[in-house]
């Protein structure tokens, strides 16, 4: 018995190499920073980058396989691997951002910079686990790992009151929603006696529980997810946290933490509350357990999230806050892909995440550079920027256009696929809400563009120069944004292969 | 037909982009180079358009048959292999022209060239011309694209340059005008996007290479009811979804035309835009709306077209009369021309709604003629504004003696806009009324009042500007200069030539128009005869 267990464990560990290598890296970061931190300030960053590359190598090797490890605690499948790529890519970009960040360089945070990278990596590790866990306890724990890392990161600049306030708010909201979530989990466990989501599903199907009880537990669990992806009405923390946290952290949270939330949400929805005995006749579509208005709930959440996010974003004058509301709106768009309960929707969601990765990180990077040069994130400092920093302004414009979803940018392709999924499933009303929201979003994105090019510079007319390193980072983010806008074959191929989840059609 | 192994339509579309790259590479302080590069590039476009005209075959119809299109280029652009739950995705780079698009291609090349010359004096040259050339590519692309996806991309590519061109180089309220333009047109195009996706999922064709069924954005395939998958959202004829789609597309295009009540962006955009951009906006951009209807709405949704032809005719009538009345009330010269544009586009809408050969021919002719005439009018406003720095009609008077050459040109343009026989405007309006009278007698009769109101405001404007006492402050206004004449005279020649001898233009579109009218009315009626419609 024990021998079999050990064999299983080693087998599992072999398929757990990306996570193992991340864990090793984050331990190395803290150790090497302790030893060499005084002499080499950025050792943490470079160790992290190296570790991320090694992890990427293991992740690539894993791609394509589909199996469960650790006795059904965790699965490795193309779906989770896809998200791992997203997490790795964003962590990599964020570490580079952090190397250039003035906030981390010029405050007391520079003395704790080793730990900073540690938390970036631990958040990534948590996100990895979220993408692959299929056991409710495991899901909850990995969610908490991500959450706790992000609480600390949000408040990383101690002397900034905004930062500390952000962290505090984050903890309180986080505690509330994870409390709700664990209550929902306990209900499910109480009903079925199972924690594995496949087993839960089997139990749901074999013994018909009252839809009301299922409904309550589902809504409670959704609260936890909704908080992570900042869906309305669980979004209240987002603007404050995004505004208060250092920009690098904001950018990271807006991509990685959100993607992890979505990864887990979709796996959970697709695996647990689904009636597998019903075939819808359409390949790659699944039916919800009878009596559960799951599709409707998600559709309403999606419509609310994008509308609220976009409409409030119009009134924001702080760019970080505006991008926070915009990221809420984007969560709404991405939820459109979930609504249809079809592989087409999931693949659209994956495509959108890739687009969102480039354009959103790019937008935050531009805000960071401008804030460094002008000392402010206010929309007013962007007046006349087009003539002081033409390259940055053009690049920023491209990111904003892509966030709006106008061709020929990657953002458009993402939206195209989301709307396609909705129209294919004949959820026309949500598609109409979605496109109208795109028009609304144009107004606030273009406000920035207007200030950059149509306004005259108010403070200082001297040109702003950027170092080659800055320009290279901008190019790395802007080229895919444009290229995949006109040639998206590889992206769609990749996303379509990646919707495959372990044990699910 | 190919030049250096690349199709001629690709050349004509992407030449401006190539020029744009050169413009961006020009070093600081060499503004003249930039201007010449742009003028040469747009000039080459005119030459290419002429080459197209010379090689154009007048007996081919196009519209819904691939064989009927000319200078066709079709290459695979996106090809995503299928998976178990979703078929292959194929998008073609598909260009071609027929009688509907050929006049527009010529018009676009011509107006872009003239606009490039008219932009000579504007500041911030590099940015201006780069955006201008990008806009040019978008416009040309819209008129030659035969794949809906490609069409949409070109359609949207225009938005951002236009926003900047109005917003940076415009008048005092430019920011407001630019954002209004952007939001209105984006609203229109997202509706179009939804219909496009719906059509994509509804149509499928057999891929000739592999023999498998694939969904397609090919417009020609969307026009054939046989390609619609049973049970899909747009299958059948005269279904509710098809009507909704037709209306959504109609609104999308109507915003661009603009058809009342979607017109409010136009006076703002026109008044604030710099002269050459007004010229482009009125000369080419407005035509995209009506072209879109002819190219996409009518042949793809013939049932919707037939069903809503009467409301469309009424909208055309409202446009004509409302635009003319509003123009009458303006004190700002440019605003007056802007409203006259709305009025004149009404004729296009009325002619299309008539859905007979005369009406549609008149509509396309009016698109072309309005393009040249309004371009002249806006250039004329620009000439006066550059000298006097005001456009208030009541501030002028007696300019006929002060600026005699200018007066001569203005009179040609004004009388063409008014519809005087012997000038091109008359021919197209006459055709529109000929067509409309057969289908909607009373609407045509009421619309004719628009001609009278037009005569009213044009003559009144002539009086206010040119006759009476010359105010003291305008005693030193110089007459029109050579560069301005270069932009105006070619247009004047075209206006007079087509007024006396319109056959070249009519012949160009005749076969296609006949085919379109026959196809749309037969298809549209088909559903009714089958008893699908109550």
């Amino acid at each position: 018995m024990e021998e079999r267990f050990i064999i299983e464990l080693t087998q599992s560990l072999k398929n757990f190499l990306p996570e193992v290598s991340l864990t090793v890296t984050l331990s190395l970061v803290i150790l090497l920073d302790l030893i060499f931190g005084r002499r080499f300030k950025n050792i943490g960053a470079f160790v992290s980058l190296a570790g991320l590359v090694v992890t990427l190598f293991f992740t690539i090797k894993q791609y394509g396989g589909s199996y469960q490890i650790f006795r059904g605690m965790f699965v490795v499948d193309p779906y989770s691997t896809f998200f791992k790529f997203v997490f790795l890519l964003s962590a990599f970009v964020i570490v580079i951002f952090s190397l250039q960040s003035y906030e981390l360089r010029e405050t007391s945070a520079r003395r704790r910079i080793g730990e900073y990278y540690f938390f970036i990596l631990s958040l990534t590790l948590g996100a990895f686990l979220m993408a692959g866990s299929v056991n409710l306890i495991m899901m909850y724990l990995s969610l908490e790992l991500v959450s706790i890392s992000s609480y600390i990161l949000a408040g990383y600049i101690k002397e900034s009151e905004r930062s500390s306030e952000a962290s505090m708010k984050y903890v309180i909201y986080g505690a509330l929603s994870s409390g709700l979530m664990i209550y929902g989990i306990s209900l499910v466990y109480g009903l079925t006696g199972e924690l594995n989501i496949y087993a839960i599903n089997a139990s749901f199907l074999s013994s018909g529980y009252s839809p009301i009880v299922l409904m309550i537990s589902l809504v409670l669990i959704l609260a936890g997810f909704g908080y992570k992806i900042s869906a309305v009405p669980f979004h209240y923390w987002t603007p404050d946290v995004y505004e208060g946290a250092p920009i690098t952290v904001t950018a990271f949270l807006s991509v990685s933490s959100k993607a992890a939330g979505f990864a887990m949400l979709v796996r959970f929805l697709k695996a647990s509350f689904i009636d597998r005995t019903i075939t819808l006749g359409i390949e790659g579509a699944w039916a919800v357990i009878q009596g559960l208005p799951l599709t409707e709930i998600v559709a309403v959440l999606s419509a609310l999230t994008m509308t609220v996010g976009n409409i409030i974003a119009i009134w924001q004058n702080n760019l970080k806050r505006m991008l926070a509301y915009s990221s809420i709106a984007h969560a709404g768009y991405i939820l459109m892909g979930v609504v249809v309960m079809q592989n087409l929707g999931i693949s659209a969601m994956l495509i959108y995440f890739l687009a969102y990765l480039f354009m959103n990180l790019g937008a935050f990077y531009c805000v960071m550079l401008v804030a460094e040069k002008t000392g402010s994130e206010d929309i007013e400092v962007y007046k006349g920027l087009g003539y002081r920093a033409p390259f940055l302004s053009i690049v920023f414009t491209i990111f904003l256009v892509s966030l709006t979803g106008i061709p020929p940018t990657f953002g458009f392709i993402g939206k195209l696929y989301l709307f396609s999924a909705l129209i294919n499933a004949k959820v026309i009303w949500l598609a109409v809400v979605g496109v109208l929201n795109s028009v609304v979003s144009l107004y606030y994105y273009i406000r920035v563009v207007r200030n950059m090019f149509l306004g005259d510079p108010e403070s200082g007319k001297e040109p702003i120069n950027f170092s080659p390193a800055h320009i290279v980072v901008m190019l790395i983010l802007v080229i895919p944004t444009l290229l995949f806008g006109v040639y998206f074959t590889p992206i769609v191929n990749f996303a379509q292969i990646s919707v495959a989840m372990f044990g699910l059609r | 037909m190919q030049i250096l192994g690349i199709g001629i339509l690709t050349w004509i579309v992407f030449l401006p982009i190539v020029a744009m790259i050169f413009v961006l590479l020009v070093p600081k302080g060499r503004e003249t180079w930039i201007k010449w590069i742009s003028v040469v590039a747009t000039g080459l476009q005119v030459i290419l358009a002429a080459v197209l005209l010379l090689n154009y075959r007048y007996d081919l119809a196009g519209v819904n048959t691939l064989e009927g299109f000319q200078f066709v280029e079709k290459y695979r652009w996106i090809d995503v292999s299928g998976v178990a739950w979703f078929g292959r995705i194929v998008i073609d780079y598909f260009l071609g022209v027929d009688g509907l698009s050929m006049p527009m291609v010529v018009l676009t090349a011509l107006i872009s060239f003239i606009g490039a010359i008219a932009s000579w004096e504007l500041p911030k040259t590099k940015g201006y011309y780069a955006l201008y050339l990008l806009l040019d590519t978008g416009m040309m692309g819209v008129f030659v694209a035969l794949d809906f996806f490609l069409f949409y991309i070109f359609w949207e590519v225009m938005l951002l340059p236009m926003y900047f061109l109005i917003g940076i180089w415009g008048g005092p309220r430019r920011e407001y005008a630019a954002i209004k333009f952007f939001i209105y047109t984006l609203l229109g195009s997202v509706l179009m996007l939804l219909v496009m996706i719906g059509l994509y999922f509804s149509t499928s064709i057999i891929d000739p290479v592999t023999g498998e069924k694939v969904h397609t954005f090919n417009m020609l395939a969307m026009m054939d009811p046989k390609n619609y998958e049973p049970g899909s959202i747009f299958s059948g004829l005269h279904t509710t979804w098809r009507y909704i789609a037709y209306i959504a597309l109609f609104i999308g295009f109507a915003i661009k035309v603009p058809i009342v009540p979607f017109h409010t962006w136009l006076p703002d955009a026109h008044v604030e835009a710099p002269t050459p951009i007004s010229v482009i906006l009125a000369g080419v951009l407005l035509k995209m709306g009506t072209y879109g209807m002819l190219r996409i709405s009518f042949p793809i949704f013939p049932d919707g077209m037939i069903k809503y032809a009467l409301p469309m005719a009424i909208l055309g009538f409202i446009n004509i009369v409302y635009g003319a009345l509003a123009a009458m009330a303006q004190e700002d010269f440019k605003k007056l021309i802007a409203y006259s544009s709305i009025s004149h586009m009404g004729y296009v809408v009325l002619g299309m709604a008539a859905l007979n050969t005369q009406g549609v021919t008149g509509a396309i002719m009016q698109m072309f003629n309005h393009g040249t005439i309004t371009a002249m009018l806006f250039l004329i406003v620009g000439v006066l504004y550059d000298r006097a720095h005001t456009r208030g009609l009541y501030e002028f008077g007696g300019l006929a003696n002060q600026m005699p050459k200018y007066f001569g040109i203005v009179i040609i343009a004004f009388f063409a806009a008014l519809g005087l026989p012997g000038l091109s405007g008359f021919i197209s309006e006459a055709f529109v009324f000929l067509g409309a009278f057969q289908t909607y007698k009373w609407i045509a009769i009421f619309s004719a009042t628009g001609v009278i109101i037009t005569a009213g405001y044009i003559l009144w404007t002539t009086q206010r500007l040119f006759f009476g006492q010359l105010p003291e402050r305008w005693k030193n206004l110089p007459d029109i200069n050579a560069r301005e004449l270069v932009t105006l005279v070619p247009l004047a020649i075209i206006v007079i030539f087509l007024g006396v001898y319109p056959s070249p233009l009519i012949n160009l579109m005749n076969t296609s128009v006949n085919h379109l009218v026959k196809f749309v009315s037969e298809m549209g009626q088909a559903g009714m005869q089958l008893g699908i419609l109550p």
Side-chain angles (χ1 to χ4, degrees):
Chain A
M1 187 64 198
E2 195 160 313
E3 200 173 331
R4 235 189 78 208
F5 180 72
I6 287 175
I7 293 170
E8 258 185 48
L9 197 64
T10 45
Q11 278 292 333
S12 297
L13 272 176
K14 238 184 245 166
N15 295 313
F16 202 56
L17 281 177
E19 288 78 5
V20 170
S21 98
L22 262 184
T23 318
V24 169
T25 312
L26 62 88
S27 335
L28 273 181
V29 164
I30 208 94
L31 267 178
L32 292 177
D33 186 67
L34 266 181
I35 303 169
F36 302 110
R38 275 173 198 279
R39 286 179 57 201
F40 309 104
K41 274 242 93 58
N42 288 325
I43 189 157
F46 293 116
V47 173
S48 310
L49 289 179
L52 288 170
V53 171
V54 173
T55 314
L56 181 69
F57 169 75
F58 286 126
T59 315
I60 291 173
K61 264 181 69 178
Q62 223 176 36
Y63 188 71
S66 190
Y67 34 82
Q68 56 180 340
I69 53 178
F70 295 125
R71 295 203 162 170
M73 277 289 197
F74 193 78
V75 295
V76 176
D77 54 12
Y79 175 77
S80 65
T81 320
F82 180 94
F83 274 100
K84 286 174 192 172
F85 286 130
V86 171
F87 303 141
L88 280 176
L89 213 57
S90 68
F92 197 83
V93 174
I94 291 297
V95 172
I96 293 173
F97 283 11
S98 308
L99 274 172
Q100 301 177 348
S101 162
Y102 72 103
E103 280 175 302
L104 298 173
R105 206 166 50 227
E106 286 161 15
T107 58
S108 68
R110 71 176 180 276
R111 286 196 299 275
R112 292 172 277 122
I113 199 74
E115 290 92 323
Y116 170 83
Y117 292 111
F118 170 86
F119 286 117
I120 293 275
L121 291 173
S122 68
L123 201 158
T124 310
L125 177 64
F128 266 54
L129 296 176
M130 274 174 84
S133 40
V134 288
N135 182 295
L136 285 180
I137 294 298
M138 184 71 197
M139 287 163 93
Y140 180 75
L141 284 178
S142 47
L143 186 102
E144 284 299 293
L145 179 54
V146 171
S147 297
I148 292 169
S149 308
S150 35
Y151 302 150
I152 298 167
L153 282 174
Y156 213 73
I157 300 178
K158 275 187 193 163
E159 58 265 49
S160 156
E161 274 183 26
R162 281 195 320 174
S163 187
S164 311
E165 181 194 332
S167 181
M168 192 65 207
K169 278 191 178 157
Y170 205 3
V171 171
I172 293 171
Y173 279 112
L176 177 68
S177 38
S178 60
L180 290 175
M181 189 179 182
I182 198 107
Y183 185 44
I185 290 176
S186 70
L187 281 180
V188 170
Y189 183 67
L191 279 176
T192 60
E194 297 283 357
L195 283 169
N196 184 296
I197 52 175
Y198 302 106
I200 289 172
N201 183 248
S203 167
F204 280 162
L205 293 181
S206 59
S207 39
Y209 297 108
S210 137
I212 296 170
V213 183
L214 290 185
M215 180 77 193
I216 292 169
S217 55
L218 175 67
V219 168
L220 287 171
I221 294 175
L222 274 185
F225 288 122
Y227 154 80
K228 205 79 233 140
I229 63 175
S230 58
V232 174
F234 314 105
H235 69 289
Y236 288 102
W237 60 273
T238 320
D240 291 330
V241 171
Y242 279 21
E243 192 185 349
I247 298 182
T248 48
V249 174
T250 308
F252 195 40
L253 291 182
S254 75
V255 177
S256 263
S257 156
K258 189 167 289 203
F262 268 104
M264 200 158 100
L265 169 70
V266 170
R267 185 189 296 280
F268 177 71
L269 288 184
K270 194 176 171 179
S272 56
F273 289 87
I274 301 301
D275 194 341
R276 238 163 280 290
T277 53
I278 304 175
T279 47
L280 289 176
I282 311 165
E283 190 78 26
W286 51 91
V288 181
I289 289 183
Q290 273 204 332
L292 274 188
L294 184 54
T295 324
E296 289 78 7
I297 291 176
V298 181
V300 170
L301 271 186
S302 157
L304 268 182
T305 304
M306 58 188 157
T307 312
V308 169
N310 275 325
I311 286 177
I312 302 182
I314 292 177
W315 311 105
Q316 304 307 319
N317 286 326
N318 180 303
L319 267 253
K320 255 161 96 184
R321 213 172 162 84
M322 190 196 91
L323 285 176
Y325 279 107
S326 122
S327 89
I328 296 178
H330 282 275
Y333 297 139
I334 297 168
L335 272 176
M336 292 196 297
V338 182
V339 169
V340 297
M341 306 271 165
Q342 282 178 17
N343 279 352
L344 185 58
I346 305 307
S347 73
M349 186 185 103
L350 299 183
I351 295 168
Y352 203 87
F353 259 116
L354 275 184
Y356 183 70
L357 171 83
F358 290 112
M359 62 198 187
N360 208 44
L361 287 181
F364 273 112
Y365 186 63
C366 292
V367 172
M368 179 179 110
L369 289 184
V370 173
E372 179 179 353
K373 303 284 178 181
T374 63
S376 168
E377 291 142 9
D378 198 88
I379 196 160
E380 289 300 311
V381 304
Y382 287 78
K383 279 205 171 141
L385 200 71
Y387 306 104
R388 298 173 66 197
F391 182 76
L392 175 124
S393 304
I394 291 170
V395 169
F396 197 13
T397 304
I398 294 170
F399 289 134
L400 292 172
V401 165
S402 181
L403 283 167
T404 317
I406 296 175
T409 55
F410 199 2
F412 167 68
I413 303 303
K415 282 223 173 112
L416 177 79
Y417 269 86
L418 286 172
F419 294 140
S420 298
L422 281 180
I423 289 178
N424 191 39
K426 300 198 175 152
V427 194
I428 313 282
W429 71 270
L430 191 58
V432 173
V433 173
V435 295
L436 293 182
N437 262 292
S438 299
V439 178
V440 174
S441 74
L442 170 75
Y443 185 78
Y444 62 85
Y445 290 127
I446 212 74
R447 224 157 62 98
V448 183
V449 179
R450 185 193 69 191
N451 271 13
M452 287 196 293
F453 289 100
L454 274 53
D456 288 322
E458 278 184 350
S459 57
K461 283 192 170 15
E462 72 287 350
I464 301 175
N465 293 313
F466 296 102
S467 72
H470 291 144
I471 291 175
V472 167
V473 176
M474 281 192 259
L475 281 177
I476 287 173
L477 292 168
V478 83
I479 288 174
T481 310
L482 283 177
L483 178 72
F484 294 136
V486 284
Y487 187 72
F488 46 94
T489 311
I491 297 297
V492 178
N493 261 329
F494 182 33
Q496 286 189 343
I497 300 167
S498 303
V499 295
M501 288 186 210
F502 171 81
L504 301 169
R505 259 185 301 117
Chain B
M1 198 178 170
Q2 293 190 326
I3 302 171
L4 301 175
I6 299 170
I8 188 165
L9 288 181
T10 304
W11 274 109
I12 205 169
V13 171
F14 289 101
L15 199 64
I17 289 266
V18 176
M20 183 184 91
I21 293 165
F22 281 112
V23 162
L24 290 175
L25 292 177
V26 168
K28 267 209 171 70
R30 302 277 183 194
E31 266 69 29
T32 345
W33 292 12
I34 294 176
K35 294 171 189 171
W36 279 109
I37 292 172
S38 314
V39 170
V40 167
T42 46
L44 281 174
Q45 250 190 327
V46 176
I47 294 172
L48 286 175
V51 171
L52 284 177
L53 264 186
L54 289 176
N55 292 291
Y56 186 81
R57 280 183 56 193
Y58 289 84
D59 56 330
L60 292 176
V63 184
N64 67 335
T65 52
L66 180 58
E67 311 78 50
F69 278 94
Q70 311 185 35
F71 314 108
V72 171
E73 292 171 40
K74 195 173 180 186
Y75 304 103
R76 194 100 314 161
W77 170 20
I78 300 291
D79 192 347
V80 183
S81 48
V83 284
W85 41 269
F86 196 63
R88 201 155 132 235
I89 302 164
V90 183
I91 302 175
D92 286 328
Y93 173 79
F94 184 18
L95 306 179
V97 290
D98 64 356
L100 305 180
S101 45
M102 199 55 217
M104 294 300 110
V105 170
V106 176
L107 180 72
T108 309
L110 196 70
I111 300 291
S112 302
F113 178 54
I114 284 168
I117 300 174
S119 313
W120 207 264
E121 305 287 332
L122 286 169
K124 300 172 190 162
T125 317
K126 191 185 239 181
Y128 177 85
Y129 275 105
L131 290 166
Y132 184 89
L133 292 165
L134 185 60
L135 177 71
D136 191 2
T137 288
M139 297 189 300
M140 198 55 103
V142 164
F143 290 125
V144 297
L146 291 179
D147 187 275
F148 207 155
F149 191 79
L150 191 62
F151 177 93
Y152 187 79
I153 299 267
F154 281 129
W155 182 278
E156 297 270 279
V157 159
M158 288 172 339
L159 295 184
L160 205 61
M162 203 60 188
Y163 170 78
F164 284 124
L165 288 169
I166 297 174
I168 299 180
W169 286 272
R173 284 170 66 244
R174 55 179 187 262
E175 294 188 6
Y176 171 75
I179 189 71
K180 199 168 176 183
F181 164 81
F182 204 162
I183 288 189
Y184 264 75
T185 34
L186 187 69
L187 182 66
S189 49
V190 293
L191 292 175
M192 188 158 70
L193 174 70
L194 290 184
V195 176
M196 179 179 97
I197 297 170
L199 281 168
Y200 173 77
F201 283 114
S202 301
T203 44
S204 57
I205 49 172
I206 307 288
D207 187 64
V209 185
T210 55
E212 59 185 326
K213 249 186 162 187
V214 286
H215 290 301
T216 177
F217 283 111
N218 186 332
M219 285 186 202
L220 307 186
M222 290 173 181
M223 292 172 196
D224 189 350
K226 284 200 290 292
N227 290 332
Y228 283 81
E229 283 188 355
S232 61
I233 188 161
F234 292 142
S235 63
L237 279 172
H238 295 288
T239 61
T240 316
W241 277 120
R242 281 180 72 89
Y243 289 150
I244 291 172
Y246 177 77
I247 292 171
L249 264 188
F250 185 82
I251 292 174
F253 292 131
I255 288 172
K256 206 82 171 185
V257 174
I259 294 175
V260 180
F262 306 108
H263 67 288
T264 54
W265 63 270
L266 182 118
D268 288 308
H270 267 320
V271 171
E272 300 307 325
T275 303
I277 298 309
S278 293
V279 169
I280 294 279
L281 200 54
V284 183
L285 250 70
L286 305 191
K287 277 78 205 169
M288 286 179 182
T290 41
Y291 173 78
M293 290 183 193
L294 285 174
R295 168 67 68 219
I296 295 172
S297 298
F298 282 23
I300 295 180
F301 295 105
D303 43 349
M305 194 279 140
I306 300 278
K307 166 111 174 165
Y308 296 111
L310 179 64
M312 189 174 167
I314 293 171
L315 283 175
F317 156 72
I318 294 173
N319 248 40
I320 295 171
V321 175
Y322 169 84
L325 285 174
M328 184 88 107
Q330 300 307 317
E331 293 176 13
D332 181 313
F333 194 7
K334 209 170 182 184
K335 214 161 189 170
L336 181 138
I337 305 296
Y339 276 107
S340 87
S341 256
I342 297 180
S343 173
H344 283 118
M345 290 309 284
Y347 293 105
V348 182
V349 177
L350 182 63
M352 291 192 314
L355 198 67
N356 47 31
T357 310
Q358 292 92 327
V360 177
T361 308
I364 301 179
M365 274 167 72
Q366 174 74 351
M367 278 154 73
F368 188 89
N369 292 336
H370 175 255
T372 49
I373 295 169
T374 319
M376 278 185 85
L377 291 173
F378 277 112
L379 288 168
I380 283 164
V381 177
V383 170
L384 193 60
Y385 185 72
D386 285 347
R387 286 166 175 68
H389 301 289
T390 177
R391 293 184 300 247
L393 286 167
Y394 287 104
E395 295 171 43
F396 294 99
L399 287 178
N401 291 327
Q402 183 67 28
M403 306 167 74
K405 276 186 271 179
Y406 179 64
F407 179 55
I409 291 280
V410 172
I411 286 303
I412 295 174
F414 271 17
F415 283 162
L418 179 154
L420 193 77
L423 297 169
S424 62
F426 168 72
I427 311 279
S428 43
E429 284 174 26
F431 266 84
V432 165
F433 282 124
L434 268 178
F437 192 79
Q438 292 174 23
T439 328
Y440 309 107
K441 193 157 73 180
W442 287 106
I443 294 177
I445 291 171
F446 284 125
S447 300
T449 56
V451 180
I452 301 165
I453 306 170
T454 307
Y457 70 77
I458 292 275
L459 292 174
W460 190 25
T461 307
T462 320
Q463 188 195 333
R464 283 182 286 184
L465 285 177
F466 295 104
F467 303 142
Q469 194 69 38
L470 181 72
E472 199 59 35
R473 53 198 272 232
W474 307 130
K475 283 275 194 299
N476 296 319
L477 277 193
D479 204 347
I480 191 166
N481 67 28
R483 186 181 57 80
E484 289 158 344
L485 276 177
V486 167
T487 59
L488 279 162
V489 169
L491 292 173
I493 292 172
I494 293 171
V495 166
I496 297 171
F497 177 78
L498 288 178
V500 182
Y501 185 61
S503 309
L505 185 55
I506 297 177
N507 290 342
L508 194 60
M509 64 180 91
N510 199 22
T511 325
S512 297
V513 168
N514 279 329
H515 187 80
L516 175 78
V517 168
K518 192 160 160 280
F519 173 70
V520 173
S521 29
E522 277 175 5
M523 282 281 300
Q525 303 292 353
M528 296 194 185
Q529 282 159 4
L530 289 171
I532 296 169
L533 192 76

